[in-house]
Amino acid sequence: RVAIEIALHKHRIDAQLRRSEQRFATTLKAIGEAVISTDARGVVDFMNGAAAALAGVAAGEAIGKPVASFLKLVDPASRQPLAVDQAWNGEAVLVDGTGREVPIVGSLANISTDRTEAAGQVMVLRDITEHRRMVELRERQRIEEIIAEVSEAERRRFGQDLHDGLGQMLTGVAFLCKTLEQKLAGKSQQESDEAKTISKLLGEAIETAREIARGLLPVPAQADGLVQALKSLADQITSQFQIECEFLDASSVRISDPGTANHLFRIAQEAVNNAVKHASPQRIDICLQAADATGCLTIKDNGRGISSAASGQGSGLDIMRHRAAAIGGSLRVSADPGGGTVMTCFFPFNHD
């Protein structure tokens, strides 16, 4: 009877062990990390699907072979091979049988038993190509944002210097010229006329300097500065191109952050200019509104429209998308069912 109980107990333990091994093997096959195990001789006895894909070899072909026969690990800095039979942890470059290189992070550990010698090893690897790509993308975006901010700051400084320096100087010269014109009025008709001409030219130069300064500093530094700038943009388009352009401030949106306001204005300016140049519209609407925590800038025209292929192309669109991303927003360009093009920029908005 004792022998029977021992046999039944052993059978139950063996069954539990088999179930545990099955669960463990199923788990290893399902996880995203590449897992390779070897026996005491260094021969592969298990390889999951992620490992086969990473190493570029079928699991059936790798079983029974040394790991070094189908892949090698290289130190990313020294480019020296790493031993695949010694404990290791960190980053490396995996080189498969075809010479393809994949940046990975992983570890290699010994399988310990009650005996002193290792019963095998387990290697766990993870492909960090996408992670590296995202890190590089974020770093590139950060650098681009810094460049854009520095460029915009320099633009503002130059515009302010132009307004306060050259503009004021020209105004002073124009005042002196007006005074001279009045003094010459009763003496010489020819000299008086020449003084009037000089005064007129100075007036035109002052207006040109102001226009340049406004172009460099389009958004006044105040809460409703963006609204004023968009109204001026609409008036300028109407006056310059005889196109009906209207600004619709649907919800009295006020943007207090000057960086956000400037990016939104440049997006609207680029969209309006694109419409004027390429769509031949009769009307352009600029709308700024907000609901909850999302703001929305929309530029809509009734021109010839834009094809679905062209809606994602062009350096102007890339710049607008970059500006939208810089303020945590997104840009969408689509054809209006009624004809024309609709460009919409969604951005985070704080009502405070």
Side-chain angles (χ1 to χ4, degrees):
R1 181 178 178 181
V2 173
I4 294 174
E5 289 181 354
I6 292 174
L8 289 174
H9 181 66
K10 182 177 182 300
H11 176 74
R12 285 194 295 270
I13 291 176
D14 289 342
Q16 290 176 356
L17 182 59
R18 284 193 297 272
R19 287 194 296 271
S20 177
E21 289 176 344
Q22 289 173 353
R23 284 197 297 269
F24 182 65
T26 301
T27 301
L28 291 180
K29 290 177 181 178
I31 64 175
E33 278 77 10
V35 180
I36 302 173
S37 69
T38 62
D39 60 18
R41 299 171 301 157
V43 172
V44 175
D45 57 12
F46 175 82
M47 185 179 199
N48 68 356
L54 185 61
V57 61
E61 297 177 4
I63 300 297
K65 296 180 180 179
V67 174
S69 67
F70 57 86
L71 70 81
K72 67 176 180 179
L73 299 178
V74 177
D75 183 274
S78 67
R79 301 296 298 179
Q80 294 299 312
L82 299 174
V84 293
D85 58 354
Q86 298 178 8
W88 163 82
N89 186 9
E91 291 190 9
V93 176
L94 181 149
V95 184
D96 66 15
T98 66
R100 179 179 63 105
E101 296 189 358
V102 181
I104 58 97
V105 62
S107 63
L108 192 153
N110 292 327
I111 301 174
S112 300
T113 64
D114 293 337
R115 302 177 182 179
T116 56
E117 71 273 9
Q121 293 178 319
V122 174
M123 181 185 295
V124 181
L125 308 174
R126 178 163 55 88
D127 183 350
I128 58 173
T129 302
E130 184 63 19
H131 172 72
R132 287 264 184 94
R133 191 186 71 81
M134 293 304 298
V135 169
E136 291 173 358
L137 178 61
R138 286 194 293 268
E139 179 64 13
R140 186 166 65 250
Q141 289 176 338
R142 186 184 71 84
I143 293 173
E144 288 176 351
E145 288 172 9
I146 292 174
I147 292 173
E149 289 174 3
V150 171
S151 175
E152 199 60 46
E154 189 64 16
R155 188 195 299 266
R156 288 194 297 269
R157 185 195 65 79
F158 184 71
Q160 197 67 51
D161 289 347
L162 183 64
H163 179 271
D164 296 342
L166 179 60
Q168 296 299 327
M169 186 181 298
L170 288 173
T171 300
V173 174
F175 177 77
L176 293 176
C177 186
K178 191 69 176 177
T179 302
L180 178 61
E181 177 188 340
Q182 293 173 351
K183 290 180 179 179
L184 294 175
K187 296 183 178 180
S188 168
Q189 181 65 37
Q190 181 179 355
E191 292 174 348
S192 177
D193 290 344
E194 289 175 353
K196 287 181 180 180
T197 301
I198 295 173
S199 180
K200 179 182 177 182
L201 292 174
L202 280 171
E204 292 175 356
I206 291 170
E207 187 58 32
T208 299
R210 288 174 178 170
E211 288 293 333
I212 295 173
R214 278 196 290 269
L216 294 170
L217 292 167
V219 182
Q222 54 199 62
D224 64 342
L226 178 60
V227 171
Q228 293 184 27
L230 292 175
K231 287 180 178 177
S232 297
L233 175 62
D235 293 342
Q236 176 188 350
I237 294 299
T238 298
S239 173
Q240 187 173 353
F241 299 102
Q242 287 73 53
I243 296 174
E244 186 179 357
C245 186
E246 185 176 0
F247 170 66
L248 307 171
D249 187 15
S251 54
S252 300
V253 178
R254 299 297 179 264
I255 306 295
S256 58
D257 179 65
T260 299
N262 185 74
H263 279 303
L264 289 172
F265 176 81
R266 296 299 184 188
I267 289 171
Q269 186 181 47
E270 181 69 22
V272 169
N273 288 337
N274 283 346
V276 171
K277 292 178 183 177
H278 306 297
S280 301
Q282 295 178 338
R283 179 180 177 86
I284 301 174
D285 289 330
I286 305 171
C287 182
L288 182 66
Q289 55 189 333
D292 298 328
T294 301
C296 178
L297 172 67
T298 304
I299 292 86
K300 178 181 177 181
D301 68 73
N302 64 351
R304 64 170 61 99
I306 186 171
S307 66
S308 57
S311 63
Q313 301 175 351
S315 60
L317 284 174
D318 289 340
I319 292 172
M320 287 192 287
R321 288 194 174 95
H322 173 75
R323 288 189 178 276
I327 59 175
S330 61
L331 192 81
R332 184 176 67 195
V333 181
S334 59
D336 184 46
T341 303
V342 179
M343 190 236 59
T344 307
C345 176
F346 299 98
F347 60 94
F349 176 71
N350 188 345
H351 287 272
D352 297 336

